[in-house]
Amino acid sequence: MSTGLEPVDGDLEGSEADLASLIGDRALERDDHVNAPGFVIRPDDVQDVLFDLRDRAGFDYLSCVTAQQYEDRYESIYHLKKYDDPTQEVSVVVPTSTDNPVSQTAEPVYRAADWAERENFDLVGIDYEGHPDPRRILLPETWQGHPLSLDYNQEKPQMVTLAEHANPLKGDTKDTETDTMFLNIGPHHPATHGVLHVKAVLDGETVVDVDPDIGYLHRCEEQMCQQGTYRHQIMPYPDRWDYVSAGLLNEWAYARAVEDLADIEVPEYAQVIRTLGAELCRIAAHMLALGTFCLDVFGDFNAVFQYAFRDREVVQDILEDLTGQRLMFNYFRLGGVAWDLPEPREDFFEKTRDFLDGLPRKISEYEDLVVTNEIFQIRCVDTGILKPEVAKSYGATGPTARGSGIDMDLRRDDPYGYYENLDWDVITEDGMDNYSRVLVRMGEVEESAKIIEQCIDLLEDWPEDDREIQSNVPRTLKPDADTEVYRGVEAAKGELGIYIRSDGTDKPGRFKIRSPCFHNLSTLPVMTQGEYIADLIASLGSLDIVLGEVDR
Amino acid sequence: MSNEPTQQIYDSTAPSTEDRDARMGQGVDARMNSKLREAFGASPFILTKFDQFMNWVRGSSMFMLQFGIACCSIEMIHSYAIKHDMDRFGAGVPRASPRQADVIIVPGTIVSKFGPRMKRVYDQMPEPKFVVGMGSCTISGGPFQEGYNVVKGAEEIIPVDIHVPGCPPRPEALIYGVAKLQERIANGESSPVVVKPYELEQFGDLPQDELVQKLADQIDEDDLVMRYNWSDSP
C-alpha cells in the first residue's frame, strides 16, 4: 500500500525537454519564468495537462495558483513543484478571455486548488468550471465586484450582513432524519487564534462537517504591495503577514523574490546576519505556537503559556537590539540588511549566547510539562490524523507536513541564505497526529539554536574590513517589463512564496502571496471529520495558523 | 469598681482609645490591620459620594475582554503575560465572554467582514463599558488605510475612550493607555456614545438605492447589515 512518502514513479525525468514533449501540442507557446519553464495551455486542457505532470513527471505539489488580469486577458498560473525536490519547478499558464473568463478547475488533480481557485475567483474574478464549491472565500458573499481586477472601483459602497445563524436545535445537514447540531466557533473565540470562524456540524460530540470561514482579517496585503515601490515601500508589509514575531522570515520571502527578479547579489556577511535573525524569529514563533497550543488543550493561562512567553520576551529583546523593533522589524533591505550588528558587538554576542546556553534547560522543562505529560498525550496522540498523501494533495508544508513524515524543508532542499554551509538537521516525525506536530516544532527550536550558535561563531570571527551589509542597489529599482518570478522560503509555518510580475515601473504589476497557513488550514476538515469536538480545537491549535497570513 | 453611678457613666463615655484597641484585638496582626484601618481609628467609616466610590471601584478592577484581532494582539498578550503583567494594575483578568467584561481592547485592523461582528460583541458587553483602541489601525486604518476592505478606524463603528498609537504599540504603551483609562474612569469621564457612521441596520430599513436593489434577492428584509460608504470615509 502506498504511504504517500515514496517518490512518485514518473516515467520521465524533470528536464525541460521531457516536459515539453510530455505536454506536446497542448502547449500553445512558452512563457518562461525566472524560476521555472512555463507552458501556455488552453483553458479546457487544464486537468489533462496537470494529471500528466503529476502522474508521469512527478509534480505532486501544487505550490501556488496565481491569477491576474492583463489589458487583453485573464491568466491563471499553476506553480508546480515536487515534494522530493522543490527546485524542480514548472509553471502552467492558462489565459482566458476578458469577456468570458472561464477556465477548467484543477481541483480533481490537486485538492490545494480548491481554496486557491476560490480565492482567485473572489479577488480577480476568474470562473473555474467544474469547481465543487464556487463561493467567495475572503470577502463576504454580498461583495460587489472583484477588487484586484482592473476595472474595480474602490469608492463604491459595499454591504456586509450579520447573518443570524440557523436554529442550532434544528437538524440542518442534508439528512433531515439525523439529529445533528450546528455550531459556530468564532470569529471571536479564544481558541481560534484570531478571527477565524469555523462552522461545525456535530452529531453528539462527534464532528460531522467542518467549514472554516476565513476573511475576517483580509487586509488587502496584495493590493498594498502592488501600490508600493520595490525598494522601500513594500518591506514593512511582510512583517504583518505572519505577525507572531516571524517578521524576518517573511521579509526574506520578499527579499528573495525580488533579488532573483532583479538579479541582486547579497553579501555573505549580510546572509549570515539574515540567517541569525530569521532563526531567532523561528524560535519566537514556535514558542508562541507551543504556548497557545497548551492554552488550547489545558485551558486557561497556565504555566506553559507563561513560560513560553517568558522565553519569547528574551528573544524579542535580542531582536530589538538587532533591528530596533520588538515585533515589526523592517530590517531586511534588498541586497542585504538595514544595519550591522549593534555595538558593542561583544554584548550582543554575550546576550544571545546566554539565551542559547539557557535553552536546553528550558526545553527539558517543556518536555517535563508538555511532551511527557500524560494528559497532554491523551489529548494529542492519535488525534487530528493527517496522512502524508492527503497533506501533499492539500499542499501542506512546514511543521504540519513534517509532522506527517514529509521530509521537505526549503532551507535544505532549495537553499538560500547561509543555510547550506551550516550543520543542522531537518526534523520529521511519522506520527501524523497533533503530538507529532508539537514534537517537530520543539525539535526545530533546538535546530534553530544550533544554527544561531554557528552564525554567532562566524560573525565573531568575521574580519572587520569585510563587513559589507548591503550590496549596491539602484535607488529606483525597475526590473525589466514582464519578468515573472515565484520564490518561496521556509517560514515558521511552511513555504511562504511570493509571485511577482514586473511591468517595467518601480511597482510590481502583480504581487501574489502564497501563504502556508492558508493551505495548512484547508486540511482542517479532513483532519477533524469523525473526531470529537474537543479534538477539533486541538487540531486547529496544532496547525498553528496565523490569521494575518491566512487572510492576508 | 466604683460605687458611684455617675462616675461609672463618666468613665464609660470617656473618649478613650481602649475601644479601638479592643476592636483591633491583642497584638496587631500586620496582615489584617492595614495602615488604612489604623488611620480610620475608632470609627472605621469614611464619607464619600457613592458615585465617586463606584468609579474608583470600576477603575481599580477592570475585566478585560479577551479579544484578539491582529498583530497588536500579540503585544496585548505580552502585556498580560510574564514580565509586563498588567494584573499589577488591576486589569489583568481577560474574560472570554463579552458579557463578563467591561473593557474591550481593540487590537488590530477592522475589515469589512469583521465590523458587524465587532459591533455585536461590543453591544453584548454590559454597561458601563470602555474601549481602548490599540494601534494605528484602530485610529485610521494604519498602514492598510488605502485597502479596499479596511474600515478606517475602530471609531467608525464603536466609541473609543483611549487611543494608543503605534504599529504595534509596545506593552508599556498599552499599559500606559490602560492606566490613563483607569484615571479617566476614576474621575467619572467617558466618551459620549453617539451614532457612528457604520451602524447595524435592518436591510428593509435602508434607502432603496442601486446596491440595495441588487442585493434584494440575496438578503432578507429583517437581516442585519452594515453598509460601508467608502467614499465618505476619511
Side-chain angles (χ1 to χ4, degrees):
Chain A
M1 205 185 96
S2 160
T3 59
L5 287 175
E6 60 271 348
V8 185
D9 281 330
D11 50 353
L12 290 165
E13 290 297 310
S15 80
E16 237 176 281
D18 284 347
L19 292 175
S21 69
L22 177 68
I23 298 174
D25 291 345
R26 291 171 296 185
L28 304 176
E29 55 180 317
R30 290 290 292 267
D31 180 12
D32 287 355
H33 298 169
V34 174
N35 61 308
F39 298 92
V40 181
I41 61 166
R42 282 155 44 95
D44 50 359
D45 272 342
V46 173
Q47 287 180 18
D48 209 23
V49 171
L50 291 185
F51 267 125
D52 274 355
L53 284 171
R54 187 190 74 179
D55 298 334
R56 296 188 54 203
F59 286 96
D60 53 352
Y61 173 29
L62 176 62
S63 181
C64 178
V65 186
T66 306
Q68 54 187 327
Q69 188 184 6
Y70 289 89
E71 290 296 337
D72 60 336
R73 66 181 190 280
Y74 284 92
E75 198 175 271
S76 315
I77 306 173
Y78 295 85
H79 303 274
L80 304 180
K81 290 187 179 184
K82 294 181 181 180
Y83 272 104
D84 292 322
D85 179 7
T87 52
Q88 287 197 35
E89 299 174 68
V90 62
S91 305
V92 177
V93 182
V94 189
T96 47
S97 67
T98 313
D99 311 330
N100 187 25
V102 180
S103 176
Q104 198 179 32
T105 178
E107 191 272 338
V109 195
Y110 304 100
R111 287 289 292 130
D114 181 355
W115 278 29
E117 288 177 347
R118 274 176 72 187
E119 184 194 325
N120 290 345
F121 162 70
D122 193 355
L123 299 184
V124 183
I126 300 177
D127 282 325
Y128 291 92
E129 200 176 8
H131 192 284
D133 188 17
R135 287 178 294 154
R136 284 184 182 268
I137 188 165
L138 294 173
L139 292 167
E141 280 291 302
T142 49
W143 200 263
Q144 302 296 308
H146 303 278
L148 294 183
S149 62
L150 294 178
D151 55 353
Y152 182 72
N153 182 1
Q154 206 180 316
E155 298 288 294
K156 283 210 163 167
Q158 298 284 355
M159 190 112 58
V160 179
T161 58
L162 178 70
E164 297 296 334
H165 293 290
N167 177 2
L169 297 176
K170 194 178 71 184
D172 60 346
T173 40
K174 285 164 214 113
D175 185 2
T176 47
E177 296 296 301
T178 57
D179 187 22
T180 55
M181 175 174 144
F182 178 78
L183 183 71
N184 279 307
I185 306 172
H188 159 237
H189 188 278
T192 54
H193 293 214
V195 282
L196 170 69
H197 177 200
V198 181
K199 297 176 188 164
V201 178
L202 306 180
D203 178 9
E205 271 195 79
T206 312
V207 178
V208 182
D209 190 23
V210 171
D211 180 17
D213 174 23
I214 61 175
Y216 292 95
L217 193 54
H218 175 54
R219 310 192 270 196
C220 332
E221 301 271 12
E222 288 174 9
Q223 181 204 11
M224 293 294 109
C225 291
Q226 279 165 212
Q227 288 176 0
T229 56
Y230 289 106
R231 188 69 208 279
H232 291 300
Q233 289 182 353
I234 295 176
M235 197 55 97
Y237 285 101
D239 286 318
R240 289 160 181 81
W241 302 340
D242 176 358
Y243 46 69
V244 293
S245 290
L248 293 181
L249 297 156
N250 305 352
E251 287 175 24
W252 208 335
Y254 170 65
R256 190 177 185 207
V258 177
E259 278 154 13
D260 280 2
L261 180 75
D263 211 9
I264 299 169
E265 286 291 315
V266 183
E268 215 164 85
Y269 181 69
Q271 292 284 29
V272 181
I273 298 182
R274 280 182 174 189
T275 312
L276 169 84
E279 291 309 310
L280 281 167
C281 283
R282 195 180 308 274
I283 291 182
H286 283 351
M287 286 292 175
L288 184 117
L290 183 71
T292 52
F293 183 60
C294 291
L295 205 64
D296 291 342
V297 298
F298 293 146
D300 229 336
F301 281 148
N302 57 38
V304 188
F305 174 80
Q306 299 287 358
Y307 287 179
F309 272 76
R310 171 200 65 191
D311 295 343
R312 269 178 60 86
E313 281 286 350
V314 182
V315 183
Q316 284 192 318
D317 261 2
I318 298 172
L319 282 166
E320 190 183 348
D321 286 350
L322 179 67
T323 67
Q325 265 270 21
R326 273 172 61 90
L327 200 62
M328 301 299 168
F329 309 110
N330 192 14
Y331 177 60
F332 284 12
R333 294 288 179 271
L334 301 182
V337 292
W339 43 71
D340 202 349
L341 300 179
E343 294 287 347
R345 292 163 69 94
E346 293 72 33
D347 288 4
F348 177 75
F349 293 136
E350 196 190 325
K351 196 170 179 179
T352 317
R353 274 194 208 285
D354 279 352
F355 167 68
L356 295 177
D357 292 343
L359 202 59
R361 200 178 53 81
K362 288 172 181 167
I363 286 178
S364 70
E365 204 169 50
Y366 288 123
E367 259 157 24
D368 287 347
L369 277 166
V370 183
V371 179
T372 55
N373 183 328
E374 203 174 326
I375 302 171
F376 185 82
Q377 290 183 356
I378 292 170
R379 287 296 307 270
C380 299
V381 175
D382 280 339
T383 60
I385 298 288
L386 182 65
K387 296 210 170 71
E389 65 268 22
V390 179
K392 282 182 174 179
S393 168
Y394 276 89
T397 46
T400 308
R402 290 194 283 273
S404 297
I406 299 171
D407 190 15
M408 186 190 82
D409 189 321
L410 293 181
R411 290 174 290 170
R412 179 199 60 196
D413 299 336
D414 182 12
Y416 56 96
Y418 211 71
Y419 288 112
E420 49 188 338
N421 307 323
L422 303 173
D423 175 33
W424 59 283
D425 295 312
V426 176
I427 306 285
T428 54
E429 294 281 339
D430 301 329
M432 310 185 282
D433 52 6
N434 294 336
Y435 192 62
S436 303
R437 291 187 274 275
V438 172
L439 290 184
V440 167
R441 291 204 180 87
M442 291 195 54
E444 282 185 8
V445 168
E446 287 175 69
E447 293 302 319
S448 294
K450 259 174 55 194
I451 297 175
I452 297 169
E453 191 137 28
Q454 294 169 52
C455 288
I456 290 184
D457 289 342
L458 283 165
L459 291 170
E460 254 180 343
D461 301 337
W462 209 276
E464 203 169 338
D465 49 359
D466 191 23
R467 291 181 191 160
E468 195 191 346
I469 53 160
Q470 255 185 60
S471 59
N472 201 4
V473 181
R475 183 177 287 267
T476 312
L477 196 63
K478 286 185 183 170
D480 300 335
D482 276 322
T483 344
E484 295 168 62
V485 70
Y486 173 77
R487 272 279 177 251
V489 298
E490 188 70 28
K493 322 290 194 241
E495 178 183 330
L496 177 63
I498 310 280
Y499 165 87
I500 298 177
R501 172 175 60 87
S502 61
D503 57 1
T505 63
D506 57 352
K507 295 173 181 172
R510 177 80 172 101
F511 191 100
K512 161 87 187 169
I513 308 158
R514 188 261 183 212
S515 147
C517 292
F518 182 77
H519 288 280
N520 290 351
L521 178 62
S522 69
T523 64
L524 184 70
V526 202
M527 281 167 61
T528 53
Q529 270 161 17
E531 301 220 8
Y532 288 124
I533 177 78
D535 296 337
L536 166 76
I537 298 299
S539 303
L540 186 59
S542 80
L543 284 177
D544 185 25
I545 49 161
V546 172
L547 270 298
E549 198 176 61
V550 173
D551 295 346
R552 287 151 289 148
Chain B
M1 186 183 276
S2 164
N3 287 328
E4 290 176 47
T6 48
Q7 182 61 35
Q8 209 178 340
I9 292 164
Y10 177 81
D11 283 349
S12 71
T13 55
S16 74
T17 58
E18 282 165 24
D19 287 357
R20 187 186 77 173
D21 292 340
R23 201 167 17 242
M24 286 172 72
Q26 286 300 308
V28 178
D29 184 340
R31 283 172 306 170
M32 301 304 290
N33 290 308
S34 61
K35 288 262 190 278
L36 195 67
R37 180 77 193 271
E38 230 165 275
F40 285 164
S43 56
F45 306 106
I46 52 168
L47 282 175
T48 175
K49 286 182 196 149
F50 190 65
D51 266 7
Q52 230 163 25
F53 174 70
M54 283 308 289
N55 285 339
W56 173 75
V57 169
R58 266 180 205 131
S60 313
S61 163
M62 300 202 299
F63 279 20
M64 323 295 268
L65 179 64
Q66 191 178 340
F67 189 62
I69 303 180
C71 338
C72 284
S73 57
I74 302 296
E75 288 296 63
M76 185 182 75
I77 300 170
H78 273 279
S79 320
Y80 290 133
I82 224 159
K83 185 171 174 185
H84 297 100
D85 189 11
M86 202 139 74
D87 214 1
R88 290 176 297 163
F89 303 95
V93 194
R95 312 305 299 184
S97 165
R99 292 187 174 81
Q100 300 166 345
D102 43 31
V103 180
I104 173 175
I105 300 179
V106 183
T109 322
I110 323 289
V111 303
S112 68
K113 206 170 170 181
F114 195 62
R117 273 80 185 174
M118 185 178 74
K119 174 76 177 157
R120 172 51 61 90
V121 167
Y122 175 79
D123 288 346
Q124 283 172 338
M125 290 166 59
E127 293 280 359
K129 50 194 168 187
F130 307 95
V131 181
V132 177
M134 184 182 183
S136 309
C137 291
T138 61
I139 296 173
S140 66
F144 307 101
Q145 215 244 354
E146 290 165 22
Y148 50 81
N149 192 27
V150 175
V151 177
K152 318 308 183 231
E155 203 138 35
E156 304 269 289
I157 295 174
I158 58 176
V160 179
D161 294 272
I162 296 279
H163 288 287
V164 184
C167 190
R170 298 174 63 90
E172 292 90 329
L174 179 64
I175 291 172
Y176 180 72
V178 169
K180 279 283 163 197
L181 177 67
Q182 290 177 320
E183 212 172 87
R184 286 193 63 177
I185 296 172
N187 292 335
E189 300 164 14
S190 75
S191 295
V193 178
V194 292
V195 176
K196 294 287 157 189
Y198 300 149
E199 286 281 348
L200 279 175
E201 290 167 283
Q202 284 200 330
F203 184 68
D205 294 348
L206 292 173
Q208 294 290 314
D209 61 2
E210 197 190 345
L211 178 65
V212 172
Q213 279 163 9
K214 212 182 273 177
L215 288 168
D217 51 342
Q218 276 187 53
I219 307 177
D220 275 356
E221 292 245 311
D222 347 324
D223 273 355
L224 289 175
V225 296
M226 192 171 270
R227 190 199 153 98
Y228 295 100
N229 301 312
W230 298 121
S231 54
D232 299 342
S233 284

